[in-house]
Amino acid sequence: MTDIALPGFGAPAVGFDTPFALLHACHERVQRTLALQHKLVGYLHQHTCDAQARQAARDVLRYFDIAAPLHHQDEERHVFPPLLAQGDAATVARVQQLQREHLRMAADWQCARLPLQALAQGQQDAFSQDDEAALARFASHYAAHLRSEEDVVYPAAQAVLPESTLRAMGQEMRQRRGAPE
């Protein structure tokens, strides 16, 4: 399988001292990982399942099992609360919608991860139509969710969060990930 790379590598590094840059970088990794998932589906339409396809499935699983939940925690702990407390009615409604979407995407992921896991572990060699529908649903929901966060919620949160809160936010994000100082 050609042109499939591990998500997150090759992008410029961002640090915990700029938490919103880190959140944006996470969104870029989500998009790359969803593109890898899409590429994997297309690959299996044209080729038999091979070691590279199984590795691609493992890469998608690893990102959405480990990194994506941490990203959602970052938003739930640091981005959403100040907007719920200080935002106007439209912003509060948007944040509440995003919180519901986090729950829906977690449920979507549980459905999408099953065929990826089966493929990664050699228990199946292709995706069924239902598998592909679950993968597409997960990707579609995620893409719309990212746009809402980047276009409305992140700018609104950055406008209300003081520098000291941003530093604390970055520090907590670092600790949750076990990253060195």
Side-chain angles (χ1 to χ4, degrees):
M1 185 169 195
T2 59
D3 292 82
I4 291 191
L6 183 62
F9 288 95
V14 292
F16 293 100
D17 55 337
T18 55
F20 277 94
L22 187 61
L23 292 171
H24 282 288
C26 287
H27 281 187
E28 291 170 8
R29 286 185 205 90
V30 166
Q31 290 169 335
R32 283 195 301 273
T33 307
L34 290 174
L36 174 62
Q37 174 183 287
H38 180 75
K39 196 179 266 188
L40 174 61
V41 170
Y43 181 84
L44 292 175
H45 284 200
Q46 309 266 331
H47 305 89
T48 59
C49 187
D50 56 21
Q52 289 180 342
R54 292 193 198 290
Q55 183 59 51
R58 283 190 292 274
D59 291 344
V60 173
L61 284 162
R62 185 174 50 252
Y63 187 81
F64 287 112
D65 279 346
I66 298 169
L70 289 169
H71 176 76
H72 288 184
Q73 286 176 13
D74 294 336
E75 293 169 341
E76 295 281 347
R77 290 180 184 205
H78 302 291
V79 178
F80 296 168
L83 294 176
L84 291 170
Q86 301 173 41
D88 60 27
T91 301
V92 168
R94 180 73 63 109
V95 169
Q96 290 170 335
Q97 176 64 32
L98 291 171
Q99 289 174 314
R100 288 189 297 274
E101 289 173 7
H102 278 179
L103 295 173
R104 181 181 70 191
M105 290 183 323
D108 286 347
W109 174 239
Q110 291 312 307
C111 294
R113 80 178 307 283
L114 294 175
L116 285 164
Q117 185 174 32
L119 190 86
Q121 294 175 347
Q123 297 167 344
Q124 69 184 51
D125 291 324
F127 296 128
S128 70
Q129 286 183 334
D130 287 344
D131 295 340
E132 289 184 15
L135 293 166
R137 185 174 45 254
F138 175 68
S140 174
H141 287 162
Y142 228 120
H145 180 83
L146 296 180
R147 283 190 301 276
S148 184
E149 287 178 341
E150 294 206 357
D151 293 348
V152 177
V153 173
Y154 284 7
Q158 286 177 282
V160 300
L161 291 173
E163 185 61 36
S164 61
T165 301
L166 291 174
R167 279 192 303 276
M169 175 180 170
Q171 185 61 26
E172 288 181 32
M173 290 166 69
R174 177 191 312 272
Q175 290 171 346
R176 252 192 315 286
R177 288 163 177 78
E181 296 271 340

